[in-house]
Amino acid sequence: MKIAKDDIEVKMEIPGAIIRQRTDFGDASGLGKISGEYFSLSAGVDTTPLFMGLEGNLCQCLTGDMF
């Protein structure tokens, strides 16, 4: 499935960053519905506000040295 970026709903916008998300984007081979996200970040943007409310107000993704 292909969809134009501008057809994906903006979920959050801060200076220098736009986050778009489309839920029920597809099926992950028996794992259930998935969503698709599109992030636009300007160089040097402070992404701190994007993580507010998460545990420790930090990104929960694993770092490269943990793979």
Side-chain angles (χ1 to χ4, degrees), residues 19-37:
I19 288 76
R20 299 169 184 272
Q21 182 184 47
R22 170 108 183 238
T23 56
D24 295 334
F25 188 70
D27 189 307
S29 302
L31 298 175
K33 301 270 183 182
I34 60 173
S35 64
E37 288 84 21

Side-chain angles (χ1 to χ4, degrees), residues 39-62:
F39 292 79
S40 300
L41 300 172
S42 298
V45 68
D46 178 10
T47 58
T48 303
L50 301 176
F51 306 115
M52 298 305 293
L54 296 177
E55 183 179 331
N57 294 323
L58 300 170
C59 177
Q60 303 302 300
C61 295
L62 298 174

